Amino acid sequence: MTTHTTTADNAQPHKEKPPTGLIPIPVGPARALATGGGILTVVSAFLAWTWTAAFPGDLTVYGYPGGLQWLVLIAGALTALLGLASYGVKGIRTIAPAGTDAALKYAALAAFATAWYTLFAISDKLGGLANLEPGGWIAGIVTLTAFIGALALPFQRPHTYPVDEEDSAWEQFKHRTRNASTIFKGAFAAETPAPPRKLNSYLEILIIIAALATGLLVFTYGIGTEYDELFIGFLITVGFCFAALSKAGLVAQVSTYTARHRHVTLVGAFLAAAAFPFTQNDDQYATIGVYILIFATVALGLNIVVGLAGLLDLGYVAFLGVGAYAASMVSGTPSSPFDVHLPFWGAILVGAGASLVFGVLIGAPTLRLRGDYLAIVTLGFGEIFRLAANNSDGSSGPDITNGSNGISSIPNLKIFGFDFGVEHTIAGFTIGRFANYFFLMLLITLVVVLVFRRSENSRIGRAWVAIREDETAALAMGINGFRVKLIAFALGASLAGLAGTVQAHVTYTVTPEQYQFANSVPPNSAFLLAAVVLGGMGTISGPLVGAALLYLIPNKLQFLGDYQLFAFGLALVLLMRFRPEGLIPNRRRQLEFHEAELSPGETPPPAALSKTGV
């Protein structure tokens, strides 16, 4: 029997139900509530939130935001802009090419979380909610209002998996947990974005420059936060605002432009990084900058081994130590057993060459292993290196490394008469010692990036990817797996040796304790591997961003004391749970991780499969 549907039934639009537990609010008032709440959030940032300046940032001034109020203002402004874009306001709607609803939720969450964190921080530091001025209460109410309105907006109902009553209680629990997580993601899921519109080349380049300038501004602000509460608020705001921009489609759109103008992006990123020391009044934060670059360079070298070739190396930090020890021994320091003083070019070649030799010596007998077995062997090599350096003190072994005292008094580098250890004036700016090494390390990072790019796009790079995806199939197609993996191991080791050369001269001292598998101070093997996985394996920018975050955040979270690693580990677990492909993922790996989220019968677009990320 055939069933007919009336015209009235066909005219009824399909309406998605809001997530369980939310009060149903019509879409129109909900969008108005979120937009109005964003506008009022901006206004509330100009009010006094507390009566005393004892809370850092001075939140007592009417008409001028201070400290954490600036972060709430930025999140509120983004919420208001996305709300106006959802109404199709001409000139504003272009900021959300992938839709506004999911982005609006994250922006409202950024304002709500930052404002309420500030209110609780004020109460905790000053001794109770009585220390809040009316402006603080207003900020809390309007951000909560905006967040409730944003949550009431429609969301994409995802595909869920049925629960079989015959399964065990544990299996049923896992299915229900997975479905709940999928529904939660669906509430914050963006619409399917249209392909980015091709603009004039000069306009696309201007957008890239603006994105790089914004990145420099955000990094400079974050690294220069003056007190602990401000840095935590900064992390909350930046994290949720970045998620909002990503859901709005802006991040994907800028990524498309950078893929079209790779050389412009590379030069622009290099110039933006080079401008960082000129934004600082002293050498304090240039110190963090140079260590971030050392950490990032080593992580990028490890990305060749792990991200491209798929070899799990848990002792990679040992190659950094080999380069540092080798370069320090020929630097002319009185604590070196060799009376040799080579110029910088000789020292850097010795450091990279020593790491290359050790990479070949360790890789030749071990790279026939796979998976966990290879990981255990490389972990053992890392510990052997540290113990050997610790015992080479003249009593437990040969007198080469001075044991636990290490090699000290390493002189500063001099290149063509330029002394990296003294201040220099460039264009009216005073550049200190760490800023000098920052520029040197930036050049080395650029070299490593170029090596990575050329290797990735070469024949050997495609062989690495084939080995990573399926070694058995690659061997069947005629690829010499052992030789290809050995090249990756040796190249990654030599790049770590380059960074180790500079590290030895920056720190003045090289000791075995600097090169452990895991400790609270990066770089170490655990942090290096986390930087690659967190940033995005197989990409260039991923490990650089991951290394910067993994070095900067623990450095800024030292006030947590014994809870520092707990908070840091919890953040990593949550990030890997909700974004397992990394912050800047390889496109193909991103599709692999989220293949289960596709609807039954749905296939990823061919255009997405052809892109490998940046």
Side-chain angles (χ1 to χ4, degrees):
M1 181 177 179
T2 305
T3 303
H4 297 280
T5 306
T6 62
T7 307
D9 292 333
N10 291 333
Q12 292 295 329
H14 176 67
K15 296 181 180 180
E16 295 285 2
K17 295 180 181 180
T20 305
L22 295 181
I23 300 174
I25 301 177
V27 174
R31 185 166 286 121
L33 206 61
T35 306
I39 296 173
L40 292 177
T41 298
V42 175
V43 175
S44 70
F46 290 88
L47 305 176
W49 289 12
T50 183
W51 62 274
T52 173
F55 186 82
D58 194 5
L59 311 184
T60 64
V61 181
Y62 281 89
Y64 186 80
L68 286 160
Q69 288 177 323
W70 279 108
L71 301 176
V72 176
L73 187 150
I74 292 171
L78 180 60
T79 304
L81 285 174
L82 290 171
L84 294 174
S86 66
Y87 284 103
V89 177
K90 189 174 182 180
I92 300 180
R93 60 189 176 187
T94 56
I95 68 171
T100 58
D101 289 348
L104 189 56
K105 294 172 186 177
Y106 276 107
L109 179 58
F112 168 75
T114 308
W116 281 78
Y117 162 74
T118 305
L119 300 182
F120 282 116
I122 292 173
S123 303
D124 178 69
K125 191 174 185 66
L126 301 182
L129 295 174
N131 293 281
L132 295 177
E133 287 286 291
W137 292 105
I138 293 174
I141 293 172
V142 296
T143 53
L144 178 61
T145 302
F147 186 47
I148 292 175
L151 285 181
L153 293 173
F155 77 107
Q156 296 181 351
R157 174 142 326 253
H159 171 72
T160 56
Y161 299 86
V163 179
D164 191 348
E165 297 298 334
E166 296 182 359
D167 287 341
S168 64
W170 172 246
E171 291 294 333
Q172 294 183 29
F173 172 76
K174 288 197 297 183
H175 279 298
R176 290 191 175 96
T177 303
R178 184 180 184 184
N179 289 339
S181 174
T182 306
I183 291 175
F184 175 78
K185 289 181 179 180
F188 288 84
E191 303 168 12
T192 303
R197 187 161 51 97
K198 187 175 178 62
L199 303 176
N200 182 279
S201 295
Y202 294 105
L203 183 57
E204 291 181 354
I205 292 174
L206 286 177
I207 293 175
I208 294 173
I209 293 174
L212 292 174
T214 302
L216 175 62
L217 179 63
V218 171
F219 177 78
T220 302
Y221 183 88
I223 202 174
T225 47
E226 300 174 353
Y227 49 94
D228 304 332
E229 293 86 355
L230 182 60
F231 182 72
I232 295 178
F234 167 79
L235 289 180
I236 295 172
T237 305
V238 171
F240 287 125
C241 285
F242 179 80
L245 295 176
S246 179
K247 292 299 182 181
L250 282 181
V251 175
Q253 196 166 37
V254 173
S255 298
T256 302
Y257 297 154
T258 57
R260 291 176 187 164
H261 308 280
R262 291 182 180 271
H263 298 294
V264 174
T265 304
L266 182 61
V267 173
F270 176 78
L271 294 178
F276 168 71
F278 296 102
T279 64
Q280 306 300 308
N281 296 325
D282 52 39
D283 217 26
Q284 177 184 0
Y285 296 118
T287 307
I288 300 178
V290 70
Y291 284 120
I292 286 177
L293 284 180
I294 292 173
F295 190 17
T297 302
V298 182
L300 196 56
L302 179 60
N303 196 27
I304 293 179
V305 180
V306 177
L308 294 184
L311 305 174
L312 184 55
D313 187 352
L314 298 182
Y316 187 76
V317 74
F319 297 123
L320 176 69
V322 169
Y325 267 103
S328 61
M329 289 179 183
V330 297
S331 64
T333 173
S335 60
S336 171
F338 310 108
D339 188 17
V340 180
H341 188 185
L342 297 181
F344 168 70
W345 305 111
I348 201 169
L349 289 176
V350 168
S355 297
L356 175 65
V357 170
F358 270 83
V360 173
L361 292 178
I362 298 301
T366 61
L367 286 178
R368 299 188 188 278
L369 301 173
R370 299 187 187 181
D372 299 338
Y373 301 99
L374 177 62
I376 293 173
V377 170
T378 54
L379 176 61
F381 163 65
E383 290 302 300
I384 289 172
F385 165 76
R386 182 180 63 84
L387 293 174
N390 198 42
N391 292 329
S392 299
D393 56 358
S395 58
S396 302
D399 187 10
I400 299 177
T401 63
N402 294 328
S404 59
N405 294 324
I407 298 178
S408 58
S409 303
I410 301 174
N412 285 297
L413 289 173
K414 290 184 180 180
I415 302 178
F416 301 122
F418 185 89
D419 191 344
F420 282 76
V422 299
E423 293 184 348
H424 298 276
T425 301
I426 302 177
F429 293 90
T430 300
I431 304 299
R433 175 179 181 270
F434 287 103
N436 294 331
Y437 281 108
F438 179 88
F439 288 123
L440 175 63
M441 200 61 226
L442 189 60
L443 290 174
I444 293 177
T445 304
L446 179 62
V447 171
V448 174
V449 168
L450 293 175
V451 170
F452 187 94
R453 283 190 60 186
R454 299 296 294 177
S455 301
E456 180 188 19
N457 298 323
S458 66
R459 180 179 179 182
I460 191 69
R462 293 191 292 271
W464 287 337
V465 174
I467 290 289
R468 182 194 70 194
E469 296 297 328
D470 193 327
E471 184 172 353
T472 303
L475 295 177
M477 296 303 295
I479 295 176
N480 189 331
F482 174 75
R483 185 181 60 131
V484 166
K485 291 191 291 185
L486 187 60
I487 292 174
F489 217 70
L491 180 59
S494 60
L495 295 180
L498 287 177
T501 302
V502 179
Q503 185 203 32
H505 291 84
V506 170
T507 58
Y508 288 129
T509 303
V510 179
T511 59
E513 288 73 20
Q514 296 174 333
Y515 309 105
Q516 301 182 33
F517 169 73
N519 52 34
S520 59
V521 181
N524 55 64
S525 292
F527 271 75
L528 288 171
L529 185 61
V532 174
V533 176
L534 170 68
M537 291 191 294
T539 64
I540 294 177
S541 52
L544 298 179
V545 173
L549 291 177
L550 287 183
Y551 190 91
L552 178 61
I553 293 177
N555 188 278
K556 288 288 188 177
L557 293 181
Q558 292 181 0
F559 67 93
L560 292 178
D562 295 336
Y563 296 97
Q564 175 187 350
L565 288 180
F566 171 76
F568 185 65
L570 180 61
L572 288 181
V573 169
L574 292 175
L575 186 60
M576 288 296 98
R577 172 61 184 86
F578 293 104
R579 197 173 177 86
E581 68 274 18
L583 294 175
I584 305 178
N586 178 287
R587 301 291 178 84
R588 188 179 298 274
R589 293 183 65 84
Q590 186 177 25
L591 290 172
E592 291 174 358
F593 274 111
H594 296 279
E595 184 178 359
E597 297 178 9
L598 297 174
S599 301
E602 182 183 357
T603 57
L609 287 173
S610 65
K611 298 175 182 177
T612 58
V614 184

